[in-house]
Amino acid sequence: MDWPVSVALAQSVPELPTGTDWSYEMKLDGHRMIMWRTGDGVRLQARSGRDVTAAWGDLALAGHHLPAGTVLDGEAVITTENGRISFEAAQSRAASSPTRAHRLATQRPAHYIAFDALQLPPPTGDIRARPYSERRAALLSLLAGLPANTPIQAVSATTDRDTALTWYNTLHHEHGVEGIVAKRTTSPYRAGRAGAWLKIRHATRSTRPSSGSPAPCASRGRSPYGSPTDASRCPNA
């Protein structure tokens, strides 16, 4: 797989699709990012193809625990002390100089919420042609081997549409969850808007202050919006 990789995008729809061949993921409001674990380090790629490693050094450091040859797709997010996602904080970090980004990272570390595995270590290699269900299983297996305090987690996902709608209706104002992305479980990873990823999202970003109650499944040092194993075990998944 060659740098930079073109990313898959979700198409906006008025409502979530129904059927047994869909998986529903939380859509988080952060900074889209491809994480490349190379043979000699970690590179972070923005959706545009730019190298943004310098702005997200804390995530690059965490990425060294991945086996060489791994390429993940996901979202870099920053949460407040109450576990609420802050789009403004993510944008501020992304636009920072390396010196300022390092200072911001010490104040409010980022989390990398992975939602796809594009490449696995040799001899497996590029798995974009495999169905989503296989890539999801590979992602969970890969992340299960990371340290317990890693900021790299798999996004919460469910195959139950009603659960996804509950997330959509209850987690926006308090916790900053932007929407839901439905992904066809039989689909390969295709760049652009190929129709296999469909999203519903709230029209405006929430500016409502947090009530102070912790987000579901929140724990110290971890984002509550992802799980390194099976998200269905979490009350918010």
Side-chain angles (χ1 to χ4, degrees), residues 117-134:
L118 311 187
Q119 181 174 285
L120 297 179
T124 305
D126 190 343
I127 62 169
R128 288 176 292 176
R130 295 187 184 182
Y132 164 89
S133 57
E134 290 187 21

Side-chain angles (χ1 to χ4, degrees), residues 165-218:
L165 288 174
T166 298
W167 291 345
Y168 182 77
N169 292 322
T170 62
L171 297 180
H172 175 56
H173 289 301
E174 291 294 330
H175 306 302
V177 172
E178 184 186 14
I180 300 294
V181 179
K183 299 182 178 180
R184 195 176 292 277
T185 57
T186 56
S187 65
Y189 185 97
R190 292 196 180 105
R193 291 183 171 85
W197 291 13
L198 306 176
K199 66 181 178 181
I200 58 171
R201 60 185 294 271
H202 294 276
T204 58
R205 293 189 172 97
S206 174
T207 57
R208 177 178 171 181
S210 173
S211 66
S213 59
C217 274

Side-chain angles (χ1 to χ4, degrees), residues 14-230:
E15 61 182 28
L16 289 178
T18 60
T20 59
D21 59 342
W22 292 95
S23 181
Y24 308 96
E25 298 177 354
M26 289 187 187
K27 186 180 189 308
L28 308 181
D29 204 1
H31 189 79
R32 182 74 176 270
M33 183 182 293
I34 305 294
M35 181 174 286
W36 298 71
R37 175 62 168 100
T38 65
D40 56 0
V42 175
R43 294 184 72 187
L44 304 176
Q45 174 201 323
R47 170 178 162 176
S48 64
R50 292 185 301 111
D51 189 318
V52 294
T53 311
W56 301 91
D58 49 343
L59 295 183
L61 184 63
H64 280 81
H65 291 286
L66 293 167
T70 300
V71 180
L72 304 179
D73 190 1
E75 195 89 2
V77 300
I78 297 176
T79 58
T80 66
E81 61 183 10
N82 291 318
R84 190 177 187 284
I85 296 169
S86 172
F87 173 75
E88 294 76 13
Q91 290 301 93
S92 178
R93 174 83 82 87
S96 296
S97 66
T99 300
R100 183 169 183 268
H102 178 74
R103 184 171 68 252
L104 291 175
T106 61
Q107 298 168 355
R108 192 173 292 173
H111 300 273
Y112 183 71
I113 309 301
F115 48 71
D116 220 314
L118 311 187
Q119 181 174 285
L120 297 179
T124 305
D126 190 343
I127 62 169
R128 288 176 292 176
R130 295 187 184 182
Y132 164 89
S133 57
E134 290 187 21
R135 300 194 316 275
R136 172 74 182 181
L139 175 68
L140 296 179
S141 177
L142 185 72
L143 299 190
L146 296 182
N149 63 345
T150 181
I152 302 173
Q153 300 164 52
V155 73
S156 293
T158 181
T159 55
D160 184 78
R161 186 175 183 270
D162 290 339
T163 297
L165 288 174
T166 298
W167 291 345
Y168 182 77
N169 292 322
T170 62
L171 297 180
H172 175 56
H173 289 301
E174 291 294 330
H175 306 302
V177 172
E178 184 186 14
I180 300 294
V181 179
K183 299 182 178 180
R184 195 176 292 277
T185 57
T186 56
S187 65
Y189 185 97
R190 292 196 180 105
R193 291 183 171 85
W197 291 13
L198 306 176
K199 66 181 178 181
I200 58 171
R201 60 185 294 271
H202 294 276
T204 58
R205 293 189 172 97
S206 174
T207 57
R208 177 178 171 181
S210 173
S211 66
S213 59
C217 274
S219 60
R220 182 170 181 167
R222 296 181 61 81
S223 166
Y225 306 104
S227 167
T229 53
D230 183 357

